[in-house]
């Protein structure tokens, strides 16, 4: 199915609603193709979507806003202890829900994939011409970030000597997937989409397979049926199945 725009009731605006594999195509590529093909009205529709939908586009390099958040979380950990990193991220998530409507909880699985693929495209995740690989399996949707536009780029920049040293978890926590040496910015994915969503809804909405090696991609799973989520994804965050 070719990329297309349709109204999303969950978002209250138009969004891209093509099938999962096409969700990784950069919208800028669609603008280019429409212009090259002599379809100016189509190009304008894609540009309007970038403005009204993908409106948090960041440059290909590491975003300064992400480094700023990483630095703040590192300060919190060093000044007050790592447990306060989790508390800060919980506060941040609740503020998002109260101050501005964040629709992930209300979405169906495929809607959720489309919404989070939109975030990945806006972050310029990936190093190739497409922003991110998205595909469908029998029981879940899979997103492969190689690398993600946030922590992945920060980790690779640090490894290559082009970025600052990142503060990381010094011990394992349920909110860091039971792992050490996870950058503090990265653990918001565990806190928000796994720990807190399990507390709120009974299951993790977005499951992350985080790699110790920054050269390797991270994978994100969106299960179609919460009842099919393997038990170990609950155990590693210290939660029990409620669904």
């Amino acid at each position: 199915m070719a990329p297309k725009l349709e109204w999303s009731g969950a978002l209250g605006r138009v969004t891209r609603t093509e099938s999962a594999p096409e969700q990784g195509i950069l919208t800028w590529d669609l603008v280019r193709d429409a212009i090259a093909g002599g379809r100016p009205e189509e190009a304008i529709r894609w540009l309007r979507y970038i403005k009204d939908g993908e409106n948090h586009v960041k440059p290909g390099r590491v975003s300064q806003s992400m480094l700023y958040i990483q630095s703040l979380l590192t300060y919190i950990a060093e000044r007050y202890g790592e447990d306060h990193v989790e508390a800060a991220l919980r506060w941040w998530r609740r503020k998002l829900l109260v101050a501005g409507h964040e629709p992930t909880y209300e979405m169906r699985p495929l809607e959720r994939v489309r919404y989070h693929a939109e975030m990945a495209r806006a972050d310029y995740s990936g190093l190739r011409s497409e922003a991110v690989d998205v595909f469908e399996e029998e029981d879940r949707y899979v997103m492969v970030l190689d690398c993600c536009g946030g922590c992945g780029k920060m980790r690779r920049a640090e490894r290559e000597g082009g970025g600052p040293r990142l503060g990381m978890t010094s011990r394992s926590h349920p909110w860091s997937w039971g792992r050490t040496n996870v950058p503090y910015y990265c653990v918001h994915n565990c806190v928000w989409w796994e720990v807190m969503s399990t507390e709120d809804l009974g299951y993790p909405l977005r499951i992350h397979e985080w790699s110790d090696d920054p050269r390797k991609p991270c994978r994100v799973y969106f299960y179609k049926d919460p009842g099919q989520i393997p038990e170990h994804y609950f155990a590693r965050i210290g939660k029990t199945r409620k669904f």
Side-chain angles (χ1 to χ4, degrees):
M1 180 188 301
K4 62 178 181 177
L5 292 170
E6 291 182 325
W7 180 262
S8 166
L11 295 176
R13 57 173 171 80
V14 296
T15 190
R16 284 174 48 174
T17 59
E18 66 269 19
S19 61
E22 284 73 34
Q23 284 287 316
I25 299 172
L26 285 177
T27 307
W28 282 111
D29 289 345
L30 302 176
V31 174
R32 179 202 61 205
D33 293 345
I35 293 173
R39 303 187 302 278
E41 292 184 0
E42 179 184 336
I44 290 171
R45 286 196 298 272
W46 289 123
L47 286 169
R48 187 175 293 116
Y49 165 68
I50 290 173
K51 176 181 178 293
D52 296 335
E54 296 177 355
N55 58 349
H56 299 292
V57 176
K58 304 176 181 68
R61 60 182 174 80
V62 176
S63 166
Q64 291 300 310
S65 63
M66 293 180 183
L67 284 172
Y68 178 66
I69 295 169
Q70 166 71 21
S71 298
L72 285 177
L73 293 173
T74 300
Y75 171 79
I76 290 170
E78 294 180 354
R79 180 68 175 83
Y80 301 104
E82 284 189 345
D83 290 340
H84 287 272
V85 171
E86 180 194 14
L89 289 170
R90 284 178 174 272
W91 176 87
W92 183 10
R93 172 68 177 157
R94 295 302 182 203
K95 279 292 182 179
L96 286 178
L97 288 174
V98 173
H101 180 60
E102 208 294 320
T104 305
Y105 280 8
E106 302 166 13
M107 291 179 165
R108 297 186 299 274
L110 183 55
E111 286 182 312
R112 200 170 293 135
V113 172
R114 291 167 175 166
Y115 181 51
H116 286 262
E118 184 176 74
M119 294 183 193
R121 293 194 304 268
D123 280 343
Y124 279 133
S125 297
L127 301 176
R128 294 160 296 144
S129 60
E130 64 272 23
V132 58
D133 288 331
V134 185
F135 56 91
E136 183 176 0
E137 295 181 345
E138 183 177 354
D139 58 343
R140 64 191 181 185
Y141 298 97
V142 181
M143 185 180 297
V144 182
L145 302 172
D146 187 14
C147 59
C148 83
C151 187
K153 287 188 177 178
M154 285 191 279
R155 294 173 71 204
R156 292 187 184 185
E158 179 191 38
R159 183 179 182 276
E160 295 166 4
R165 183 178 180 277
L166 302 177
M168 302 182 182
T169 55
S170 62
R171 64 185 192 277
S172 62
H173 304 275
W175 48 267
S176 66
W177 303 293
R179 312 280 286 277
T180 59
N181 297 319
V182 182
Y184 294 124
Y185 180 84
C186 192
V187 298
H188 84 271
N189 290 302
C190 184
V191 175
W192 290 6
W193 307 121
E194 298 190 34
V195 175
M196 295 182 72
S197 69
T198 301
E199 292 171 352
D200 294 340
L201 300 179
Y203 61 95
L205 293 180
R206 168 177 160 160
I207 295 171
H208 304 77
E209 287 292 358
W210 183 85
S211 175
D212 289 314
D213 187 345
R215 296 169 298 183
K216 295 181 179 179
C218 293
R219 298 169 73 87
V220 185
Y221 302 135
F222 301 82
Y223 277 83
K224 300 175 184 178
D225 177 2
Q228 296 298 311
I229 298 175
E231 194 63 39
H232 69 270
Y233 287 126
F234 293 89
R236 69 177 186 173
I237 60 172
K239 299 297 179 183
T240 55
R241 182 186 299 275
K242 300 178 183 177
F243 195 95

